Amino acid sequence: MADSDRRSVTAEELARHNKPGDLWISIQGKIYDVSEWVKDHPGGDLPLRSLAGQDATDAFIAFHPAGGAAWGRLGRFDTGRRLEGYAVSEVSRDYRRLAGEFARMGLFDRKGHITLASMCFIAALFGASVLGVLASESAWVHLLCGAMMGFLWIQSGWMGHDSGHYRIMAGPAQNRFAQVLTGNCLAGISIAWWKRNHNAHHIACNSLDFDPDLQHMPFFVVSSKFFASLTSCYYDRKMNFDAVSRFLVSHQHWTFYPVMCLARINLFAQSFALLLSKHKVPNRGQEILGLLSFWIWYPLLVSCLPNWGERIMFVIASFAVTGIQHVQFCLNHFASSVYVGPPSGNDWFEKQTAGTLDIQCSPWMDWFHGGLQFQIEHHLFPRLPRSQLRKVSPFVKELCKKHNLPYSSASFWEANAMTLRTLRTAALQARDLANPVPKNLVWEAVNTHG
């Protein structure tokens, strides 16, 4: 590269390179052009698009521990330019130091025996549920089998979550097999959809317009800012707060748990929506075949029940039990700090801690929470195996204390209460007639007499 091109780039100039076909990022002061790499990025296009035009060092370190292959690939995208006035905050410096220390300790490679134990548990639940349906004539046994299927989906969800963040098997082919088996085949959820959605969530944690895990209009909102009909940068559409949305949101603290019992339907729909879309989906054929296998064995198993009453009971039980996991997903973020706008690479540690809540529990309950009980630690170090999260928790607490940053935690029941309070606050604001929205006849009929 010519010497004339090896120059400094101001933050303002870097910020202009944040459009499709022109994506620059800064990592440790060096400028990288990832405009073409975005098509092949293993984490999908959304993380690079969201962080383009700014320093992304902390986010890069979070998803690419020191010594990993990604660091060796950076040279391919080096423009030879450097970010003018590049500086590192005390918080970021300590965070990077801690991440490097964890890498030197080998914590990112120590996965424990969770995968083997989980696989055995999943196999036992599946076998017991199928056997109960086929070998028993008792309606109570069939109800229990439906509940076990729900627990199976919860455990397969934790496996899919782990395998999407780090390699849980010996090699990439085995890891891919585990992903498709536990996600697509056993649970009916596309692992490709989950990775795209979840990576966007991690990068833009609790951004109302960038984080898909907070975009549940018209059923739920966690902030009155949604009343302005924000545009989702994930779904690329406007989230209209109309009369129907106001009616549903104004009762959301009452409908939260019933909707969570049926939330899996949304995941089924989102999975097919992505796979049938024009988005680039790696191994699309595998993904579709995996989903089709689920929609063969699960309806077939349900059809083996003796009557429609027990079939409906089985499906409701499996959906309701796995609804516990959907509640768990909400507890970690619904009651935490939110913001509007794109994620910023300069306050990674601050944004992740402010937007996340840990769940206090004893070690013997770790299996139930699947790592979400240490959600702050997981968001700061997403590649860290969940068997190591409890071990690093004291270091994260100390770092938060040093920089006067929140380290929020609550019991499972307290977190539920906090979530309901957040939903109730937004619900009451939605009922405020000082914020009118276009009314229709249904709205007027329901609310004429209060």
Side-chain angles (χ1 to χ4, degrees):
M1 183 174 291
D3 290 341
S4 59
D5 289 331
R6 302 187 68 87
R7 56 185 177 82
S8 296
V9 173
T10 65
E12 291 75 18
E13 183 180 354
L14 175 62
R16 292 197 289 269
H17 295 274
N18 66 342
K19 301 174 182 62
D22 182 20
L23 302 175
W24 287 13
I25 59 173
S26 168
I27 298 176
Q28 294 182 332
K30 294 184 178 181
I31 305 298
Y32 298 93
D33 185 347
V34 294
S35 305
E36 296 300 321
W37 177 238
V38 71
K39 304 173 186 176
D40 303 306
H41 182 231
D45 60 319
L46 293 176
L48 294 180
R49 286 168 48 193
S50 297
L51 293 171
Q54 59 181 306
D55 178 68
T57 305
D58 288 346
F60 185 85
I61 289 174
F63 284 91
H64 310 90
W71 288 91
R73 296 194 189 103
L74 280 178
R76 296 160 48 188
F77 315 110
D78 191 353
T79 66
R81 300 168 171 86
R82 296 192 64 86
L83 181 60
E84 185 178 300
Y86 172 70
V88 183
S89 69
E90 287 297 322
V91 176
S92 290
R93 183 175 289 108
D94 285 346
Y95 168 67
R96 297 174 192 182
R97 186 182 298 118
L98 191 59
E101 184 62 28
F102 291 163
R104 285 188 290 274
M105 294 168 64
L107 298 186
F108 292 98
D109 301 315
R110 298 177 187 174
K111 303 176 179 66
H113 303 291
I114 289 179
T115 299
L116 177 61
S118 297
M119 285 289 196
C120 292
F121 190 28
I122 289 172
L125 287 171
F126 186 79
S129 184
V130 172
L131 181 64
V133 169
L134 300 179
S136 175
E137 298 180 357
S138 170
W140 290 106
V141 171
H142 296 161
L143 177 63
L144 177 62
C145 290
M148 286 193 293
M149 189 60 67
F151 275 117
L152 182 155
W153 287 344
I154 290 175
Q155 293 304 312
S156 69
W158 302 144
M159 289 288 291
H161 180 263
D162 290 348
S163 65
H165 277 295
Y166 55 88
R167 189 177 296 173
I168 63 173
M169 307 295 282
Q174 297 94 320
N175 198 68
R176 176 63 184 168
F177 174 78
Q179 289 178 334
V180 176
L181 174 64
T182 57
N184 301 55
C185 298
L186 287 179
I189 308 299
S190 165
I191 191 67
W193 167 80
W194 178 86
K195 288 178 69 175
R196 178 178 174 82
N197 181 281
H198 199 63
N199 284 339
H201 160 67
H202 267 270
I203 292 295
C205 177
N206 275 31
S207 167
L208 298 182
D209 47 344
F210 279 79
D211 184 353
D213 281 9
L214 294 185
Q215 297 172 0
H216 303 296
M217 193 88 79
F219 294 102
F220 306 119
V221 303
V222 297
S223 169
S224 60
K225 293 182 175 68
F226 276 112
F227 301 165
S229 296
L230 299 176
T231 296
S232 168
C233 295
Y234 177 81
Y235 294 107
D236 196 25
R237 59 175 172 79
K238 193 173 185 179
M239 298 177 286
N240 290 311
F241 185 70
D242 53 20
V244 173
S245 299
R246 167 172 277 184
F247 174 74
L248 293 174
V249 167
S250 65
H251 299 88
Q252 63 181 2
H253 51 306
W254 296 108
T255 60
F256 175 64
Y257 292 113
V259 170
M260 289 297 102
C261 290
L262 301 174
R264 199 160 199 83
I265 297 173
N266 178 53
L267 271 60
F268 292 153
Q270 294 284 354
S271 294
F272 276 110
L274 175 65
L275 296 182
L276 298 178
S277 73
K278 295 181 180 180
H279 287 292
K280 182 178 180 180
V281 180
N283 304 303
R284 190 188 299 264
Q286 288 181 5
E287 296 279 340
I288 293 176
L289 286 176
L291 292 188
L292 291 178
S293 70
F294 170 82
W295 288 107
I296 291 174
W297 75 258
Y298 183 68
L300 185 62
L301 179 63
V302 172
S303 71
C304 292
L305 292 165
N307 56 67
W308 277 105
E310 292 193 22
R311 292 166 189 163
I312 294 173
M313 177 185 68
F314 182 92
V315 171
I316 291 177
S318 58
F319 275 50
V321 169
T322 199
I324 297 171
Q325 187 176 62
H326 295 290
V327 171
Q328 289 173 298
F329 292 148
C330 297
L331 300 184
N332 292 126
H333 298 286
F334 269 29
S336 298
S337 175
V338 298
Y339 66 99
V340 175
S344 171
N346 292 326
D347 58 0
W348 172 264
F349 190 95
E350 295 92 329
K351 279 291 197 305
Q352 300 297 330
T353 53
T356 311
L357 176 73
D358 274 7
I359 305 299
Q360 302 164 1
C361 75
S362 300
W364 68 272
M365 280 295 290
D366 284 352
W367 68 274
F368 176 75
H369 295 283
L372 297 192
Q373 72 276 31
F374 294 109
Q375 188 75 340
I376 296 174
E377 290 77 5
H378 170 62
H379 265 257
L380 292 173
F381 307 101
R383 298 293 299 274
L384 197 66
R386 64 168 136 142
S387 60
Q388 304 297 330
L389 294 176
R390 186 175 289 276
K391 182 181 297 183
V392 305
S393 178
F395 298 99
V396 174
K397 288 180 182 177
E398 185 61 30
L399 192 53
C400 288
K401 181 179 179 181
K402 176 181 177 181
H403 294 286
N404 197 29
L405 294 171
Y407 182 93
S408 304
S409 63
S411 71
F412 180 74
W413 306 113
E414 290 171 338
N416 273 268
M418 293 167 63
T419 298
L420 289 178
R421 283 197 296 270
T422 298
L423 293 174
R424 183 177 183 274
T425 298
L428 295 179
Q429 291 171 333
R431 298 179 188 180
D432 185 359
L433 295 181
N435 296 301
V437 295
K439 295 179 173 62
N440 58 25
L441 293 178
V442 174
W443 170 263
E444 292 179 352
V446 170
N447 291 276
T448 298
H449 302 290

